[in-house]
Amino acid sequence: MSTIPTTLPFEELAEAIKGRRSDYGHISGLQLDRFAPAEAWSSLPYRPVFVGDTETGVLHGGVVTAMLDESCGMAVQLALDGTRAIATLDLRIDYQKPATPGLDIKAHSVCYRTTRSIAFVRSTAYQDSEDDPVATATACFMIGANRTNMLADRRMDARSIPVLEAPEDPDGPFARSPFARALGIRVNDDGTLTMPFSPQIIGNPILPAIHGGMTGAFLETTAVIGVARELGTAAPPKPIGLTVNYLRSGRALDTFANVSIVKQGRRIVAFEARAWQDNAEKPIATAFGHFMLRPTPGSDDE
């Protein structure tokens, strides 16, 4: 384990954040482009594996969720001194519009307040202009979440970075979703979904722990599949907003999830999803959100 000063000078802190982020952050290609105290400007290059629906070319919502989670974390680290671990407590994503296929996504994240143990962040994901967002986010992070220090304890060897690939599965439920296939998500006979543990989804490599954005992406995928199945809709519902609450660290284990409909209207459905590992009574995360549906004649309007 390397040793560092009690606090890092700001320029050294920013360089450490660039080189020692989460494993998934490296794999995805997310870059820290600019920085200031408590502010991070980042970018994610477009890649076909990020697509959520090959018919439209639109990115999977989980890709945006994971980017905003990591970008918010960078802003928190830039507000601190580099000596303490952080962990996402909750993350709310509001989807403003679909990302334009083929274009990179950028994010501007601001840690606008820190207390002794909590950091508060807001972020905007966009493509052409920050005034025309793809999504916005607010998040809370715990400061001093554990005894690890990713900025000092480990640097990922570029030669060991796994590749994010989407194996073909033309007859499977994710035939049109390369990103879901890349995560290895599968639908079980009882209606639950499984996301197998793999090096691609690691956030903190020292524990190791699953990236919070990957857990959010898995919960969103579970909700899309489960709601569409329960309502018998041919087209997947469109995410409006999603709030993820992180309850426990996602360990190096397979993760399971299910979803239930809280309220259904003619155009809007509210849902709640839960993710767990070895005990369904002890979820590692929950998510509450809303989808937009195609109008169904005879249903109550929202």
Side-chain angles (χ1 to χ4, degrees), residues 146-220:
N146 53 64
R147 295 185 179 183
T148 67
N149 187 336
M150 287 173 56
L151 301 185
D153 294 344
R154 179 182 184 273
R155 181 185 297 272
M156 179 178 252
D157 184 347
R159 295 171 297 180
S160 67
I161 298 176
V163 178
L164 195 63
E165 296 179 323
E168 293 297 327
D169 186 14
D171 300 320
F174 302 111
R176 290 167 43 183
S177 181
F179 189 65
R181 298 200 308 274
L183 299 185
I185 298 174
R186 60 179 183 267
V187 181
N188 304 316
D189 293 339
D190 61 358
T192 63
L193 271 70
T194 299
M195 179 174 69
F197 178 78
S198 68
Q200 289 92 333
I201 64 173
I202 292 176
N204 186 327
I206 303 166
L207 292 175
I210 296 173
H211 194 291
M214 294 295 94
T215 301
F218 179 44
L219 284 167
E220 182 176 323

Side-chain angles (χ1 to χ4, degrees), residues 129-149:
S129 169
E130 192 171 345
D131 294 328
D132 186 22
V134 169
T136 55
T138 57
C140 293
F141 282 74
M142 178 183 289
I143 301 172
N146 53 64
R147 295 185 179 183
T148 67
N149 187 336

Side-chain angles (χ1 to χ4, degrees), residues 80-94:
L80 303 175
D81 57 13
T83 65
R84 290 165 288 178
I86 61 172
T88 316
L89 289 176
D90 64 57
L91 176 69
R92 174 177 174 83
I93 306 290
D94 290 302

Side-chain angles (χ1 to χ4, degrees), residues 9 26 123 138 142 149 234 264 283-284 289:
H26 282 285
S123 185
T138 57
M142 178 183 289
N149 187 336
Q264 179 193 349
I284 63 169

Side-chain angles (χ1 to χ4, degrees), residues 4-28:
I4 58 170
T6 303
T7 61
L8 281 173
F10 183 72
E11 293 292 331
E12 291 184 24
L13 173 65
E15 289 302 317
I17 292 169
K18 283 184 178 182
R20 304 186 185 186
R21 299 194 319 276
S22 74
D23 282 11
Y24 173 76
H26 282 285
I27 294 165
S28 69

Side-chain angles (χ1 to χ4, degrees), residues 49-61:
V49 74
F50 292 150
V51 170
D53 186 344
T54 51
E55 288 195 2
T56 63
V58 172
L59 298 187
H60 193 289

